[in-house]
Amino acid sequence: QVEFVESGGGLVQPGGSLRLSCTASGRSIITYTMGWFRQAPGKQRELVAHIISGGATHYADSVKGRFTISRDNAKNTMYLQMNSLKPEDTAVYYCNFPFWQQSWGQGTQVTVSS
C-alpha cells in the first residue's frame, strides 16, 4: 500500500503562483505514472496533469501552459508548479497513480481569490 502526502497549498490572488509537493511512502514511484488530481466543491475529482516514468508529461486543457508537473524519483516526490492561477483553479489537490489508484491522501487546499 502506498501512502501519499500532499503539501504546499494556500490562499493566493488571481495571477499568483504556488508549488505543490507530493511525497509517497511504502513503495518507490520510479516505475509508475504519477498524477495530480483536483476536486472543487460540488464537482467530481479530475486529473489535471500526469507524468510517466520516463518523464513525458500530459495536461488537461484547462491548465495547459500554466501548470508544470515534475518528479524527483530519488526523493519519491512529485511537484506541481502552478502559475497564472485563476479562481476556477480553487480545489483540493491530490496526488495518486492514475492507472493504479491507491488510497487518497488528505490533499492540499488551493484557494484563488482576491
Side-chain angles (χ1 to χ4, degrees):
Q1 183 71 17
V2 182
E3 293 187 355
F4 300 106
V5 177
E6 302 93 348
S7 62
L11 173 63
V12 63
Q13 292 187 342
S17 299
L18 285 172
R19 188 190 193 211
L20 307 184
S21 298
C22 164
T23 300
S25 61
R27 180 184 289 266
S28 171
I29 67 170
I30 193 169
T31 61
Y32 294 95
T33 296
M34 294 284 296
W36 281 101
F37 300 76
R38 68 185 181 188
Q39 187 167 21
K43 295 188 177 181
Q44 288 190 333
R45 189 174 288 153
E46 62 173 342
L47 177 65
V48 296
H50 66 277
I51 182 167
I52 68 171
S53 58
T57 58
H58 304 269
Y59 299 93
D61 288 343
S62 58
V63 306
K64 199 172 295 182
R66 301 187 298 120
F67 290 11
T68 302
I69 189 171
S70 61
R71 63 195 294 164
D72 185 337
N73 291 330
K75 296 182 179 180
N76 235 34
T77 299
M78 177 179 64
Y79 305 97
L80 187 68
Q81 177 67 43
M82 305 187 297
N83 299 327
S84 303
L85 282 161
K86 304 176 180 180
E88 51 265 42
D89 295 318
T90 295
V92 180
Y93 285 71
Y94 303 87
C95 59
N96 211 317
F97 299 141
F99 308 119
W100 184 47
Q101 286 183 8
Q102 303 295 292
S103 297
W104 295 96
Q106 293 195 345
T108 186
Q109 175 71 49
V110 172
T111 303
V112 185
S113 175
S114 54

